[in-house]
C-alpha cells in the first residue's frame, strides 16, 4: 500500500510547492510594483523644474537624448537645492528596492544594490561639486545602469547553477531564502520592469 500511495503523496507535495512558488512570485511582483509606484511618486511630487530636462532618470526617459549626453553646462547655484533633493530620492528608492530584493532573494543582491547606490551617489556628488558637466553625468549614469544589469545577471547565473546543483541533492529548506526562487522570475520582473523601464532610478 505504501508503494502505491507514495507517487500520489509526491504529486501532492509537488502541487503544494508549485502553489507556494506562485504565491511567492505574486508577492515579489506586487512588492516591486509598489516600490516603483512609490519611487515615481517621489520624483513626480518633487520640485525639480530646473533639472528635470537635464538629468536622465528625472526626465523619465529610458535613455539619454543627444542633448543630455552632450550638455557641457555645469551645475548652477539655483539648481543645487534640487540636486540635494535628488540625493534623498535616490536613497529612498534604493532602500525600498533593496529591502524587497533582500526579503525575497538574499542579502548578496541587496549588497549589490548598496554598491550601486554608492556609485550613483558618487556620480551625483561630482555633478554637485562642479567636477563634471551634465553630459558627463548622464553618460556615466547610463553606464552605471548597464553595469548594474551585468552585475545582477552574473549573480543570477551563479545562483541558477547553484540551484540546479541543489535540486539534485536535496530540496531547499526555506523557499523564501532559496536560490530556487530567484532564477525563474528575477530577470523577468526585476531587470525588464525596473531597470530597462522608463524610471531608471536604479
Amino acid at each position: 500500500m505504501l508503494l502505491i500511495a507514495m507517487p500520489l503523496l509526491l504529486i501532492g507535495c509537488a502541487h503544494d510547492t508549485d502553489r507556494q512558488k506562485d504565491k511567492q512570485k505574486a508577492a515579489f511582483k506586487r512588492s516591486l510594483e509598489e516600490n516603483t509606484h512609490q519611487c515615481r511618486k517621489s520624483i513626480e511630487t518633487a520640485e525639480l523644474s530646473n533639472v528635470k530636462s537635464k538629468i536622465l532618470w528625472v526626465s523619465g526617459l529610458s535613455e539619454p537624448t543627444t542633448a543630455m549626453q552632450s550638455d557641457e553646462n555645469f551645475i548652477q547655484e539655483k539648481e543645487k537645492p534640487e540636486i540635494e533633493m535628488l540625493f534623498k530620492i535616490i536613497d529612498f528608492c534604493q532602500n525600498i528596492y533593496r529591502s524587497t530584493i533582500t526579503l525575497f532573494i538574499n542579502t548578496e543582491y541587496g549588497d549589490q544594490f548598496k554598491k550601486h547606490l554608492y556609485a550613483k551617489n558618487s556620480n551625483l556628488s561630482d555633478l554637485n561639486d562642479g567636477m563634471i558637466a551634465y553630459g558627463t553625468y548622464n553618460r556615466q549614469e547610463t553606464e552605471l545602469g548597464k553595469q548594474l544589469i551585468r552585475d545582477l545577471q552574473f549573480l543570477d547565473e551563479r545562483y541558477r547553477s547553484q540551484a540546479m546543483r541543489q535540486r539534485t541533492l536535496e530540496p531547499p529548506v526555506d523557499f523564501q531564502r532559496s536560490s530556487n526562487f530567484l532564477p525563474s522570475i528575477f530577470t523577468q520582473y526585476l531587470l525588464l520592469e525596473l531597470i530597462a523601464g522608463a524610471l531608471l532610478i536604479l
Side-chain angles (χ1 to χ4, degrees), residues 3 42 55 77 111 139 149 177:
L3 291 175
S42 71
I55 292 181
E77 197 61 37
D111 290 343
R139 291 193 299 274
I149 291 174
R177 297 287 178 180

Side-chain angles (χ1 to χ4, degrees), residues 159-174 177-181:
Y159 277 96
R160 187 186 302 272
S161 298
Q162 289 179 4
M164 290 176 68
R165 287 195 300 271
Q166 184 181 8
R167 278 191 219 104
T168 63
L169 299 174
E170 59 182 346
V173 176
D174 182 352
R177 297 287 178 180
S178 166
S179 56
N180 279 356
F181 170 56

Side-chain angles (χ1 to χ4, degrees), residues 30-172:
R30 283 195 304 271
S31 293
L32 291 178
E33 287 173 344
E34 178 58 26
N35 292 163
T36 301
H37 173 72
Q38 290 181 43
C39 228
R40 285 176 176 158
K41 188 175 179 181
S42 71
I43 296 172
E44 290 167 1
T45 57
E47 179 51 55
L48 301 168
S49 56
N50 290 311
V51 300
K52 186 172 184 179
S53 63
K54 297 181 178 182
I55 292 181
L56 170 61
W57 57 272
V58 176
S59 71
L61 299 175
S62 59
E63 54 186 57
T65 63
T66 302
M68 284 180 176
Q69 293 183 74
S70 59
D71 189 347
E72 296 182 0
N73 292 308
F74 288 83
I75 188 171
Q76 299 176 23
E77 197 61 37
K78 66 178 182 179
E79 297 166 342
K80 289 203 169 187
E82 295 182 16
I83 298 296
E84 288 301 319
M85 199 173 298
L86 295 185
F87 279 112
K88 294 177 182 178
I89 290 173
I90 291 173
D91 192 45
F92 168 73
C93 293
Q94 288 280 358
N95 283 333
I96 59 174
Y97 280 125
R98 191 170 63 244
S99 294
T100 294
I101 291 162
T102 300
L103 174 64
F104 283 94
I105 305 173
N106 63 37
T107 55
E108 193 168 1
Y109 281 85
D111 290 343
Q112 192 62 59
F113 276 83
K114 186 176 181 179
K115 174 184 171 185
H116 180 73
L117 171 61
Y118 178 81
K120 196 172 182 73
N121 274 329
S122 179
N123 193 34
L124 191 59
S125 292
D126 288 346
L127 176 68
N128 193 46
D129 294 340
M131 296 173 63
I132 58 174
Y134 279 100
T136 303
Y137 172 83
N138 284 312
R139 291 193 299 274
Q140 291 180 172
E141 280 295 293
T142 304
E143 184 52 41
L144 284 175
K146 291 176 181 176
Q147 184 61 52
L148 178 61
I149 291 174
R150 289 193 292 268
D151 291 341
L152 293 176
Q153 286 174 333
F154 173 78
L155 288 177
D156 196 26
E157 287 301 317
R158 195 177 76 191
Y159 277 96
R160 187 186 302 272
S161 298
Q162 289 179 4
M164 290 176 68
R165 287 195 300 271
Q166 184 181 8
R167 278 191 219 104
T168 63
L169 299 174
E170 59 182 346

